[in-house]
């Protein structure tokens, strides 16, 4: 039996790895073993749920998680028959979010209308949270309360912790060891997406040495005198 590999290493959604993209990748491989390599901070819940269903429908999908796997990316992995995780990687589940952008002058009626709008969004998010939590419960065997509390904590799990929780079935050692915490750009991308910064225990804090003001002044003054001397010599040479 052949093995087909799909790589999802970016945004999950219409402008990235969409449900249509995954469907096109799955077509023609119904009888093959499919390996999906996932390294993503997530994206659209809508696309993630559809991709989850596609993996479930296929029935023989193995998800391999590496680097930072969060949010919607964890949802699609739940559809796999088996989930493996790189021992150097991190895993994050959290409550779904809506973009809230209100900037205006409002009277009491406007404020009341805004409150009603936000209350409606809050109820819709609560429904999505519950559905996602139930999916995690089915995978892990944990209680609904435990999963919702973990989603609320918004905390990165390392590979061993993800295994203990039951989100993954196996932790594997990669052929090449990579310390993802050393990538400042990757960590900056994570925080820019509104996610907590991962625990960087190996990060060394650079200390700033105090400035010796007197020594600095002397060095600058000596450079000025040196330049003045050169200018005087140049003037003498021109006069000659």
């Amino acid at each position: 039996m052949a093995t087909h590999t799909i790589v999802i290493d970016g945004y999950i959604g219409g402008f990235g790895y969409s449900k249509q993209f995954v469907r096109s990748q799955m077509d023609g491989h119904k009888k093959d073993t499919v390996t999906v390599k996932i390294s993503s901070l997530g994206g659209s819940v809508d696309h993630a749920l559809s991709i989850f269903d596609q993996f479930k429908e296929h029935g023989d999908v193995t998800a391999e998680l590496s680097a930072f796997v969060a949010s919607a990316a964890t949802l699609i992995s739940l559809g796999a028959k088996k989930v493996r995780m790189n021992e150097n990687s991190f895993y994050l589940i959290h409550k779904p979010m809506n973009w809230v952008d209100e900037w205006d002058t409002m009277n009491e009626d406007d404020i009341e209308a805004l409150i009603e709008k936000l209350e409606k969004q809050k109820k819709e998010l609560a429904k999505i949270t519950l559905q996602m939590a139930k999916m995690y419960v089915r995978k892990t065997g944990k209680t609904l309360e435990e999963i919702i509390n973990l989603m609320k904590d918004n905390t990165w799990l390392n590979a061993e912790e993800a295994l203990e929780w039951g989100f993954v079935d196996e932790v594997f050692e990669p052929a090449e060891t990579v310390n993802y915490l050393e990538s400042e750009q990757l960590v900056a991308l994570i925080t820019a997406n509104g996610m907590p910064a991962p625990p960087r225990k190996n990060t060394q804090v650079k200390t700033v040495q105090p400035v010796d003001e007197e020594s600095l002044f002397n060095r600058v003054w000596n450079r000025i005198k040196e330049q003045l001397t050169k200018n005087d010599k140049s003037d003498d040479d021109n006069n000659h």
Side-chain angles (χ1 to χ4, degrees), residues 57 60 66 90 108 113 115 127 129 155-156 158 162 203 219:
E57 182 180 353
D60 192 10
S66 63
F90 295 87
E108 58 188 274
I115 292 173
K127 291 179 183 178
T129 297
T155 302
W156 287 101
N158 60 33
T203 302
R219 291 200 301 273

Side-chain angles (χ1 to χ4, degrees), residues 188-216:
L189 179 63
I190 291 169
T191 54
N193 276 271
M195 297 177 182
R200 305 183 70 191
K201 295 180 180 179
N202 297 331
T203 302
Q204 295 182 350
V205 179
K206 296 181 179 179
T207 58
V208 179
Q209 297 296 329
V211 177
D212 184 342
E213 295 182 0
E214 183 176 357
S215 175
L216 176 61

Side-chain angles (χ1 to χ4, degrees), residues 64-133:
E64 290 190 356
L65 314 184
S66 63
F68 294 94
V69 180
S71 193
T74 66
L75 286 180
I76 67 175
S77 73
L78 298 177
K81 182 179 180 181
K82 183 176 183 180
V83 183
R84 306 175 69 236
M85 187 171 178
N86 182 322
E87 66 180 6
N88 303 311
S89 304
F90 295 87
Y91 188 100
L92 173 73
I93 66 172
H94 65 82
K95 290 188 172 185
M97 297 177 286
N98 263 357
W99 180 263
V100 178
D101 185 14
E102 299 291 342
W103 182 262
D104 201 358
T105 55
M106 301 182 185
N107 61 30
E108 58 188 274
D109 297 327
D110 297 328
I111 294 174
E112 184 61 33
L114 176 59
I115 292 173
E116 291 177 3
K117 173 185 173 183
L118 293 177
E119 283 291 344
K120 181 180 178 181
Q121 291 183 4
K122 178 183 175 183
K123 290 178 182 178
E124 291 173 348
L125 285 174
K127 291 179 183 178
I128 299 173
T129 297
L130 181 59
Q131 180 57 36
M132 290 171 58

Side-chain angles (χ1 to χ4, degrees), residues 12 17-19 22 47-55 76:
I12 296 171
Y17 294 91
S18 66
K19 53 190 176 184
V22 173
H47 284 261
L49 291 176
S50 176
I51 295 171
F52 165 88
D53 289 338
Q54 292 180 52
F55 290 171
I76 67 175

